[in-house]
Amino acid sequence: MAITDPAIAQKVGELKTRLPTFELDGKLMYVAEGDLLLEEEQLADYVPHAANVEPPNLDAGPGGEGLVGILQNGRPVRWRPGFVITYCVLRATFRDESQYATVRANMLAATRDWEETCGVSFRHVAELDGSASRPAEVVFPVRLNLSGGDFIAASFFPNDPVGRRQLLINPSYFSPSLGFNPVGVLRHELGHVLGFRHEHIRSGAPPECFREDTSQTINLTAYDPRSVMHYFCGGVGNPELEITEVDVQGSQRVYGMPLSRFRLVA
């Protein structure tokens, strides 16, 4: 579809010049903010052309923690209530059984951390791990990415097209010098899957951090330099990529309390 707004067309052209690219499954992908993968037709939605919508002010918490959600047509984006986010880990894409077992175990740990944080539910469909390609029965596959791209891992947002819903693991994830908690890396990527943007794109972050458009976002609490969604940049951030106490508060504004806190009755 052609872009009719000249201002947006200009900004899309600037993004094409500035953003790193790589080819994934025969499709040219643009890498924004270090780990957000965009197809060319998604660039027009990424550039700033919508008004920011701010929520009511909330107390920031002891460390000023926070979380940033995304908006579509002025409304926060989330998976529908009761929806189970299913995934598989494509064994054949990994270089050996050890890599596959590591990712499988780390995904289980990271999904449990989010399930204990807010009202979301993940399920590993292990019987589909032997699939030769993306199975239609799951929301997303987890796979090794050998196509290039300067990122450790990359995922997607809930409102991305079905064909874009996959969690990519680069070979650097298995490096002994990774510098980040490997489970934390997946906690961060699953935060995107749940609809949360990067924390470090907000005002208040050090100037060395990635600076991208914050239109079509909603600030769930105040800026948090240690949020699970914050890169380690400008001397702040946490390489453990842990979910902070007020990350919990922000995610519960969107998804409610963890399901384990409810007593279910027939």
Side-chain angles (χ1 to χ4, degrees):
M1 180 183 296
I3 301 173
T4 56
D5 187 322
I8 294 176
Q10 179 181 353
K11 291 171 183 175
V12 167
E14 293 171 356
L15 282 177
K16 287 182 177 180
T17 301
R18 178 169 58 85
L19 296 181
T21 62
F22 75 104
E23 190 171 291
L24 176 65
D25 299 332
K27 187 88 171 180
L28 182 66
M29 305 299 297
Y30 295 85
V31 185
E33 299 175 35
D35 71 343
L36 301 185
L37 307 184
L38 304 171
E39 298 179 8
E40 182 175 1
E41 52 268 31
Q42 293 178 290
L43 294 177
D45 292 327
Y46 182 74
V47 298
H49 63 280
N52 236 1
V53 177
E54 295 289 342
N57 292 327
L58 297 177
D59 292 336
E65 296 92 346
L67 206 60
V68 182
I70 60 175
L71 297 172
Q72 185 171 340
N73 298 325
R75 303 174 72 176
V77 171
R78 56 156 287 170
W79 298 97
R80 68 177 183 269
F83 184 72
V84 177
I85 307 170
T86 56
Y87 70 93
C88 66
V89 182
L90 295 179
R91 178 190 284 108
T93 66
F94 293 92
R95 289 171 168 168
D96 53 42
E97 191 68 18
S98 174
Q99 286 190 354
Y100 161 70
T102 295
V103 171
R104 178 172 168 152
N106 290 353
M107 278 293 296
L108 181 61
T111 54
R112 282 180 174 172
D113 285 344
W114 276 112
E115 288 175 338
E116 293 171 1
T117 296
C118 59
V120 296
S121 181
F122 290 90
R123 181 164 63 88
H124 176 203
V125 187
E127 60 268 27
L128 296 178
D129 285 1
S131 303
S133 59
R134 178 197 183 98
E137 296 89 344
V138 294
V139 173
F140 69 96
V142 184
R143 53 175 279 201
L144 185 69
N145 171 53
L146 297 175
S147 303
D150 188 19
F151 52 85
I152 299 170
S155 57
F156 60 94
F157 292 126
N159 57 342
D160 278 341
V162 172
R164 272 277 300 107
R165 294 176 182 173
Q166 53 186 329
L167 199 162
L168 301 179
I169 306 288
N170 261 15
S172 60
Y173 181 83
F174 303 102
S175 171
S177 59
L178 175 63
F180 296 93
N181 182 316
V183 174
V185 169
L186 297 181
R187 280 193 293 262
H188 177 95
E189 294 306 326
L190 291 173
H192 290 316
V193 171
L194 294 177
F196 302 128
R197 286 282 300 272
H198 286 135
E199 185 73 7
H200 51 266
I201 65 174
R202 299 170 63 172
S203 62
E208 297 89 345
C209 295
F210 284 95
R211 278 289 191 271
E212 298 292 350
D213 176 44
T214 56
S215 64
Q216 303 187 75
T217 67
I218 182 169
N219 295 334
L220 299 169
T221 54
Y223 166 67
D224 176 14
R226 294 184 66 82
S227 169
V228 66
M229 301 310 297
H230 199 300
Y231 279 3
F232 189 74
C233 54
V236 298
N238 180 5
E240 291 298 309
L241 292 168
E242 295 171 323
I243 297 170
T244 67
E245 284 300 315
V246 188
D247 277 343
V248 173
Q249 294 177 21
S251 63
Q252 287 184 8
R253 288 195 68 195
V254 179
Y255 286 103
M257 292 191 302
L259 302 179
S260 60
R261 294 193 186 179
F262 291 91
R263 182 177 295 279
L264 302 179
V265 296

